[in-house]
Amino acid sequence: MAASEPEEVSTQDPGAYVAQVMAEIEEEVRLRRASGDLPPKLERELDELFLAHSPVAGRGGDLTEALRMVDAATFIDPVVPVDSQRAAGAFVKKGMRSLLLWYLGWITHQISQFASAVSRALHIVDGRLKDLERKVEVQRVPHAGVVEFPVAHDPAAWWVTPAIGALTEVRGRILHAASGDGWLVRQINQAGGDAYGVDPRPDVVERGLLGISDLRGEDLADHLRATSSAGLGGIVLSGMVDGMGSGQREQLFNLIATRLAPGGTLVIHSVTLPTWEAPDAPYETDLSPGRPLRAETWRHVLKQSGYEATVQSGPDGADYLVTAVRATMSPPEPTLTQ
Amino acid sequence: MSAAAGPYGAPVAVHQFIPTLNPHDATGTHTLLLRDILRQAGWRSEIFAEAIHDDLAAEAFKHWMYPDHATDGDVAIYQFSTSSAVAGYLLERDLPLILDYHNFTGPQHFAGWESLTEERATRAGVELALLAPRAQLGLADSGFNERELQRAGCRRTAVIPVLVDYGRVSALPDPRVAAALAALKAQGGTDILFVGRIVPSKAQHELVKALWAYRRLYDPLARLHLVGGTSSFDYLRSLRRFVHDLGLSSAVCITGEVSDPALAAYFSAADVYLSLSVHEGFGVPLVEAMAAGVPVIARGVGAVAETVGDGALVLASADPSYVAAAVQRVCADEELRRRLTSAGMRRMVAFSPDAISDRVVAAVASVAAP
């Protein structure tokens, strides 16, 4: 490769000089490849060679592939290599190998037998797991996504003002899920609260980030698991719980019970069953595993969990708002005299 | 600048919290230098860590010992570089917080290699999301890191480069290591250097591929020195096997962690510093190489281009033939070497603690004031 003429380049501005050097490097590579000095096939083979040494999980974490490698490694060779860089090294190593071969052979035979037995057991486990996976797949209950009704999930909706009113006395951060583009987070913050949003739809969150920085594109349950105990002053759920199956709903409320601070406020907005089943409801309603609870059911469930809950119905009966304050101390244990 | 007074008139204390205080890593060095700068500015300042290297046992306290030192008006600086119990400890306290963000290697870079490290990286992401909105100020080593902080919800941010201890590279080279490297050099061949932990995100296997291509195309005697410890033993094992299969065992030297004088010896023997990392939040060894007068070639990922400025050749890919051609050009072109090393020296001055300390003090004072 020819270096550039120093006299020619020394007066160039640094950016232009580097650009010229990079262009010359690229041209050099092109010429080398064209001449067959380093065919692309060889470079691919380098990649494959390294991949062959990567751990199994690096290629997808497949158990069958892992077992194939376990099988390959099951045999332990008692005949140790004797190459040496020192003059008499190979001779010494060869002598030691001859002396120890009977001993190493006996040990490695037992280890190989043990490894084969483990490998056989793992193959059985692999087969049974595959069987189970096939059976579970058809019984799997899908996780509910966000179901938004355009009229209800809007800054002008009737329930927004009472919801924000219920959160004015809250101490600590307020979480809104599903926050969408942050429309309610913005309103709570304007009212003096310290709110942030979580929504499992990354595209929706991305849009919202243009106007508000504290939106997280993640699953609500995952987010709550990572939140410190009693770390939230308020939680607002809208478009989240209506379509949840009973297992997913219970899991969420167990998490909320540990993450909401004593005295904290839980606000739930939900649509009623007729709204959910109306012909013009979003198509996600059909695909969700669950159906909305009645307002009175929420009040009952929350009371049992130690919340003081109130319910407000919307003006046309299409939806309702549940506001629940978590008890500042654990509810009293039931006694025989009650 | 003198320290701000606390609510009762006494000087406010600005304490630092860090996951692990280690003498040989960038964050540990930064923390120790920052502690000295804070003290010189008049603040009381201690370091609290989840883990402390034996050599630094006298320099820091365990993080749970903080209440013994706490006073009203304390400000905490958290050196964020990985997941740690310290993050949860700070979240539970109502201290004014400055988040000094050094970035962390995302879980995707460990996927399939080290499940524990992958999990830890995932937790680091969650901790960042929880700490960033709480911080009164976020300090970032680079604009790249600043954007991550802002995405995590940090409302007020500033870019202040990491404090680098150039004493590591300007130390008197270890005579034993220097002699061994000189003996190798006497046999001929280019010495290529990379300094950094042996982990998948530093992509040492790409360096080995580049060496293989470089030896085949330009210099059959070239050597590669990989300096640094590892936290990824699967990756190290794979790397060693890869080197062996390519017949490069005598050309690739994997040193493990080395002392500062030994590091200085490696820098002074290097013909070129080559980095093909897939993720860098700043890249302290790049600056150290520039300080040592070694021409730098680096893949332009993360904050690399920002860190090196015009002091390095920044590559768009790690394609072995492309990297090999770049190494050859730097080694053969005196004018290019001269330009890169002098630009590198100017860059190094911009990152010196003297050039940065006033900015750090002003940023901290904006939070540590009554």
Side-chain angles (χ1 to χ4, degrees), chain A residues 18 63 84 129 178 223 225 229 249 297 319 323:
Chain A
V18 169
L63 180 57
S84 175
L129 270 178
H223 176 77
R225 278 188 204 100
S229 181
R249 194 181 284 138
T297 308
D319 54 356
T323 308

Side-chain angles (χ1 to χ4, degrees), chain B residues 2-355:
Chain B
S2 62
Y8 304 110
V12 169
V14 181
H15 295 309
Q16 294 186 83
F17 292 77
I18 181 171
T20 303
L21 187 65
N22 193 322
H24 300 300
D25 75 11
T27 315
T29 305
H30 171 81
T31 305
L32 290 164
L33 290 171
L34 180 55
R35 192 261 318 265
D36 296 344
I37 288 171
L38 294 171
R39 285 180 177 174
Q40 278 162 21
W43 281 297
R44 284 187 298 111
S45 184
E46 300 294 348
I47 298 170
F48 299 91
E50 184 181 359
I52 303 165
H53 191 283
D54 286 348
D55 292 352
L56 297 176
E59 302 286 343
F61 300 98
K62 291 284 189 181
H63 70 284
W64 45 264
M65 293 166 75
Y66 167 68
D68 298 340
H69 301 261
T71 51
D72 286 333
D74 281 0
V75 171
I77 299 179
Y78 182 43
Q79 303 293 345
F80 192 111
S81 59
T82 182
S83 164
S84 164
V86 176
Y89 186 83
L90 288 173
L91 279 167
E92 287 168 5
R93 275 159 185 77
D94 202 20
L95 285 169
L97 178 67
I98 298 173
L99 193 58
D100 199 351
Y101 181 56
H102 305 285
N103 211 298
F104 62 96
T105 307
Q108 71 276 18
H109 297 300
F110 296 104
W113 289 99
E114 309 282 344
S115 57
L116 280 177
T117 318
E118 187 183 348
E119 272 175 40
R120 198 163 187 203
T122 305
R123 279 207 306 276
V126 174
E127 286 167 10
L128 177 66
L130 294 172
L131 283 166
R134 278 271 313 271
Q136 269 84 342
L137 174 66
L139 298 180
D141 302 331
S142 58
F144 175 77
N145 286 357
E146 185 183 40
R147 288 188 287 281
E148 282 200 3
L149 263 184
Q150 288 167 345
R151 274 199 294 273
C154 200
R155 287 161 193 161
R156 201 176 137 235
T157 54
V159 175
I160 294 182
V162 69
L163 294 159
V164 182
D165 178 12
Y166 294 119
R168 291 184 73 197
V169 288
S170 61
L172 206 58
D174 182 315
R176 221 162 48 92
V177 177
L181 291 170
L184 285 174
K185 203 169 262 306
Q187 297 168 15
T190 306
D191 283 295
I192 303 168
L193 175 66
F194 175 74
V195 178
R197 284 177 307 128
I198 299 198
V199 288
S201 60
K202 301 289 181 193
Q204 280 91 348
H205 65 284
E206 300 283 8
L207 294 169
V208 172
K209 286 197 267 183
L211 175 75
W212 182 84
Y214 182 62
R215 282 168 63 100
R216 185 183 162 101
L217 294 175
Y218 303 104
D219 179 358
L221 297 176
R223 290 169 295 273
L224 172 65
H225 304 274
L226 299 175
V227 177
T230 189
S231 54
S232 181
F233 293 97
D234 277 349
Y235 182 68
L236 175 62
R237 201 175 303 120
S238 299
L239 188 68
R240 284 190 194 283
R241 288 180 184 156
F242 186 47
V243 167
H244 177 266
D245 283 1
L246 289 174
L248 293 174
S249 296
S250 59
V252 178
C253 170
I254 302 175
T255 67
E257 210 166 271
V258 301
S259 67
D260 289 354
L263 181 66
Y266 279 103
F267 272 121
S268 63
D271 294 305
V272 61
Y273 183 88
L274 178 61
S275 167
L276 298 177
S277 299
V278 293
H279 175 267
E280 286 291 354
F282 181 81
V284 168
L286 297 167
V287 182
E288 289 177 332
M290 293 193 283
V294 182
V296 174
I297 302 172
R299 172 152 50 168
V301 294
V304 166
E306 197 184 333
T307 299
V308 298
D310 57 358
L313 270 194
V314 178
L315 306 182
S317 92
D319 194 273
S321 49
Y322 181 53
V323 179
V327 172
Q328 170 64 9
R329 181 63 188 263
V330 168
C331 291
D333 184 342
E334 269 308 313
E335 168 69 7
L336 178 60
R337 287 180 74 80
R338 189 188 62 72
R339 280 183 180 246
L340 288 178
T341 49
S342 57
M345 285 291 179
R346 286 196 300 276
R347 199 78 192 138
M348 177 270 277
V349 172
F351 287 133
S352 68
D354 288 345

